[in-house]
Every structure is written in C-alpha cells, then in structure tokens.
Amino acid sequence: MAAVLAPPGADRTGPDPAGPRPPAPTVRRAGAARRRRALGWFALLAGPNVVLLVLFVYRPLVESFYLSTMQWNLGSPVARFVGLGNYVEWFTADSTIRVLTTTAVFTLATVGGALALGLGLALLLNRRLPGRGLARTVAFAPYVLSGYAVGILWLFIFDPRYGLMSTVLGWFGATSPQWYTSPPWPLVMVVVVYLWKNLGYVALIYLAGLQAVPQDLRDAAALDGATPARTLRSIVLPLLAPTTFFLLVTMLLASLQSFDIIKAMTQGGPLGSTTTLMYQIYQEGFVNGRAGYASAGATILFLLLLAVTAVQLRYVEQKVHYA
C-alpha cells in the first residue's frame, strides 16, 4: 500500500500517538508523592531499629564520653569534672604497657590461630567423608555455648593434678604446667579455650566460601598438572580473599572485646598476666568502682576498634578481589 504524503504546508501538529502528556506541575507532584511514600516505608521498617540504636548504642556511647571526663565512683551522688585527667592517668599508669601487650598477644594469637586452623578444618570438612554432616555439626557446636560455661568446663580439663590435660601429658612422660599460677601458661590456656570455642564458626564461614569456588577452575588446574597445594595457593586462596577479609574484621573486633572466658578462668590473673583492655575496663568500673576511669578506658578501646577497622577498610580491602 502506498504511503500518503501530506501536501506541503499542511498542519503536522496532530495529537501525540502516545497520548496527551501531563503538565510539568503534575509530574513534580507525582514525584514528590513517590518520595513521601518511600520515606514513609523507610520510617516504618527502619524506624524501630534506628530508635533502638539511638537509645541503647549511641546514647550510652555519648554518656561514656562524658563520664570519662569525670571523677565518679559507682554509687556516689557527686561527680567532679577532671577533664582529661583520667586519660592522663591511664597513659602514665605502670600497668598500661602490660595491658596493651597482653591485649596484642591475645588478639594476634586468637585471630591468627582461628583463621589458620579454621581454614584447615574447612578444607577437611569439605571433602567427601563418611559422617561429614555430623562432623560439621560437632565442629560448630562449641560456638553456640556460653563462654562462661566453656571457661568453667576447661578449668577442670586444665587442672594440673586431676585434669584431662594432665592425664594426656602423663601418657607421654610429661608433667602438666601450672596453668593457673605460672605465667605465661594462664594466657596460653585462655587462648586455647578461645580458639576451641570459635574455631567452628571460622570453619563454617570458610566452608561456605570453599563451596562457592567453581569446580571447573580446579578441574582445569588439575588438567594443567597443578598439584593440590598449587591449586590451593593460586586459585582457592585468592577466591577466598573476601571471606578471609570478613573473618579478619569480625574476629579482630570480637577478640579485642573478649571478656567471658577470661572472667571465668583467670579473672585477669595471676598478677595481671591475662588482663586485657576489655577486662581492665570491667575491673576498674565494677570491681574498683572507678566509673570515670573505666569510661576513659572504654573510650580508648572504642577509638582503638575504630582505628583498626578503618585501617582494614582502607588498606587491607584494597587487596581483596571480589568476583
């Protein structure tokens, strides 16, 4: 069918095939209505969480900053403003170096040990073994137990005279160290228990990462003659970098705030050899009653956690490859 052309000079301003367009004010009102609806849904869904965060996280955090500038004992109706006096006392105290050293050793041992042992356990649980499901459950079970209960249980295991550890060492002709009284054995004891409790969590996260590694990459590496160790180093570990980074951040923060196992097993002793910064805050605030000084320690711990997280996000995450 031949097309009919409009004669020259004919009016070409006919109706829009797509229909009449609404005026600009109507479009703006519709956009504003959509934004109000989105804001309403956000307030409905996120509002309760925001309120809880403000009441139970940010408000206590601000009050802790304020209390750190006061000399106040728990139960006392009077508080005296001392400015930065609590911070000066903390940084000049003889125990500060020991507390920071203990905190660093405990954190490095627990985080590094958990990542290395957790990866090894995940590689083992990822194999086709009989009873693999039961083994995964047993490995993860300690993580859900109470830290205080775990500490009490392991006190009996580490007993130098009647504990299971003493019996096992006796089979090899060795005597049990004085786990409770002779440094550095109390700190070693606490690190072992902390690793035992959290190993299943790290292994479970690594196991999920291992199962996300494409099998065709491993098969291609095997066809090229790569050994299992080379495949692990060149393919599996780089693909596990996001998982490792996540575990590094979460385990580091958790280790710096560890309290329950130390409280149950050593109570910071002997002679402060297991007193970390977190436990010192508890001891100064709730045992010695120095709430202002403890708040200064809590503020320092918060700034330390913030700095560690910022460094990890700024420098460590740059080396992480997300597929």
Side-chain angles (χ1 to χ4, degrees):
M1 179 180 295
V4 179
L5 299 178
D11 185 10
R12 303 189 182 198
T13 60
D16 192 346
R21 297 182 181 179
T26 304
V27 175
R28 287 195 294 269
R29 286 195 297 269
R34 284 195 298 268
R35 288 192 293 269
R36 285 195 298 269
R37 284 196 298 270
L39 183 60
W41 280 110
F42 174 79
L44 179 63
L45 299 177
N49 292 329
V50 173
V51 171
L52 291 176
L53 285 174
V54 170
L55 290 179
F56 298 106
V57 177
Y58 298 114
R59 183 179 63 85
L61 184 63
V62 173
E63 290 184 354
S64 179
F65 290 158
Y66 171 72
L67 288 177
S68 67
T69 63
M70 311 294 289
Q71 183 180 356
W72 177 57
N73 295 331
L74 285 178
S76 174
V78 179
R80 184 169 61 90
F81 178 77
V82 294
L84 299 179
N86 288 321
Y87 295 94
V88 173
E89 181 181 355
W90 189 88
F91 280 105
T92 57
D94 295 335
S95 60
T96 298
I97 298 298
R98 186 194 68 234
V99 169
L100 292 178
T101 302
T102 302
T103 303
V105 171
F106 175 81
T107 302
L108 292 176
T110 53
V111 175
L115 292 179
L117 296 176
L119 177 60
L121 182 59
L123 291 171
L124 180 63
L125 295 177
N126 197 39
R127 296 178 176 272
R128 298 183 180 274
L129 300 174
R132 182 175 60 177
L134 178 62
R136 292 174 178 176
T137 304
V138 172
F140 182 72
Y143 179 72
V144 301
L145 299 177
S146 166
Y148 199 91
V150 168
I152 296 297
L153 171 65
W154 277 84
L155 277 177
F156 292 99
I157 296 177
F158 278 106
D159 188 282
R161 293 174 297 175
Y162 310 110
L164 178 61
M165 188 69 68
S166 176
T167 302
V168 172
L169 291 175
W171 294 344
F172 300 95
T175 58
S176 175
Q178 296 299 317
W179 298 103
Y180 303 158
T181 58
S182 298
W185 295 113
L187 185 59
V188 173
M189 177 178 64
V190 172
V191 169
V192 169
V193 177
Y194 188 89
L195 288 175
W196 179 83
K197 184 181 185 304
N198 294 277
L199 188 60
Y201 165 77
V202 177
L204 182 69
I205 301 299
Y206 265 133
L207 183 61
L210 286 172
Q211 293 178 348
V213 175
Q215 185 62 38
D216 55 352
L217 293 179
R218 302 183 185 185
D219 296 338
L223 290 176
D224 290 338
T227 62
R230 179 64 183 273
T231 302
L232 175 65
R233 183 175 66 254
S234 301
I235 296 178
V236 177
L237 290 182
L239 292 177
L240 285 178
T243 304
T244 302
F245 177 72
F246 167 77
L247 287 172
L248 179 63
V249 173
T250 55
M251 291 299 297
L252 193 59
L253 297 180
S255 180
L256 285 171
Q257 299 176 81
S258 179
F259 167 78
D260 47 5
I261 292 177
I262 297 176
K263 170 63 177 175
M265 301 191 70
T266 63
Q267 298 185 7
L271 302 175
S273 60
T274 58
T275 299
T276 60
L277 181 53
M278 184 67 192
Y279 193 82
Q280 185 194 40
I281 295 170
Y282 159 79
Q283 198 169 34
E284 292 292 344
F286 296 97
V287 178
N288 299 334
R290 304 182 62 193
Y293 188 76
S295 297
T299 302
I300 293 171
L301 177 60
F302 168 75
L303 296 176
L304 177 62
L305 294 173
L306 188 64
V308 168
T309 305
V311 169
Q312 292 183 41
L313 294 176
R314 176 64 177 84
Y315 298 102
V316 180
E317 192 179 20
Q318 291 182 351
K319 301 180 181 180
V320 176
H321 173 70
Y322 295 93

